[in-house]
Amino acid sequence: MSVNYYPPVGFHFKVNFDGVSQNDKDYRFQSVSGLSVDIETEDYAEGGENRFKHKLPVKTKFPNLVLKRGMLLDSEVIAWCQNAIENFVFEPANITIDLLNENHSPLKTWNIVGAYPVKWSVEDLNAQESKLVIESIELVYNYFTII
């Protein structure tokens, strides 16, 4: 193990939507959440064994992916979301999320497969606060792989 190893920082990343044309700002997000997986199990009672039940793996479950950023007025990603929300036209896209090093090269990549929007929201507007307008996109997807 290297003595000079430092864990990567969680604030240097980019998000790319494959199949959705993007402008030069569309890959920038404030936060990404939902990069996790649970394995669902099923109880199996063995005949004659009363002390416990076996837990057998059944399937994987992926939570929704939530992306947040300051609102963009000319976003192709938001146009893709609006097409799904307003016209009920769903065009699943693959998404790559790259965790970057100090040279802007990927350290780790998550490949999100078959994502489409299920929610778009804007934080509350409040004249008594001086803060950016944050938009949030919530996506469902089939699964992800890690490179």
Side-chain angles (χ1 to χ4, degrees):
M1 185 166 134
S2 174
V3 178
N4 295 328
Y5 173 75
Y6 296 100
V9 296
F11 59 80
H12 193 75
F13 61 92
K14 71 177 183 177
V15 179
N16 185 46
F17 287 74
D18 298 334
V20 177
S21 60
Q22 294 177 263
N23 63 35
D24 61 340
K25 297 178 190 95
D26 255 341
Y27 63 88
R28 299 176 186 169
F29 284 87
Q30 173 185 341
S31 70
V32 175
S33 62
L35 287 175
S36 67
V37 60
D38 293 327
I39 298 177
E40 292 183 0
T41 60
E42 183 177 274
D43 289 346
Y44 175 75
E46 182 180 352
E49 178 59 72
N50 295 324
R51 294 176 297 161
F52 63 90
K53 291 182 180 179
H54 296 281
K55 292 200 176 279
L56 303 175
V58 178
K59 62 182 175 180
T60 53
K61 182 180 177 184
F62 297 88
N64 289 353
L65 186 67
V66 179
L67 307 173
K68 292 183 179 183
R69 67 179 176 190
M71 178 183 269
L72 286 181
L73 300 178
D74 61 342
S75 168
E76 295 297 325
V77 170
I78 296 302
W80 173 72
C81 290
Q82 281 181 303
N83 195 30
I85 294 165
E86 294 173 2
N87 303 321
F88 219 66
V89 175
F90 294 91
E91 299 170 358
N94 294 337
I95 300 170
T96 54
I97 300 169
D98 293 317
L99 180 63
L100 305 173
N101 65 14
E102 63 276 3
N103 299 320
H104 313 293
S105 299
L107 289 169
K108 189 165 288 270
T109 300
W110 290 264
N111 289 318
I112 313 298
V113 177
Y116 60 89
V118 292
K119 183 177 180 181
W120 176 81
S121 63
V122 174
E123 284 189 3
D124 294 344
L125 305 175
N126 187 340
Q128 295 178 332
E129 295 179 351
S130 176
K131 64 179 187 175
L132 297 175
V133 176
I134 303 296
E135 64 184 350
S136 177
I137 305 167
E138 191 167 332
L139 308 161
V140 297
Y141 59 97
N142 296 331
Y143 64 93
F144 68 79
T145 57
I146 302 172
I147 298 176

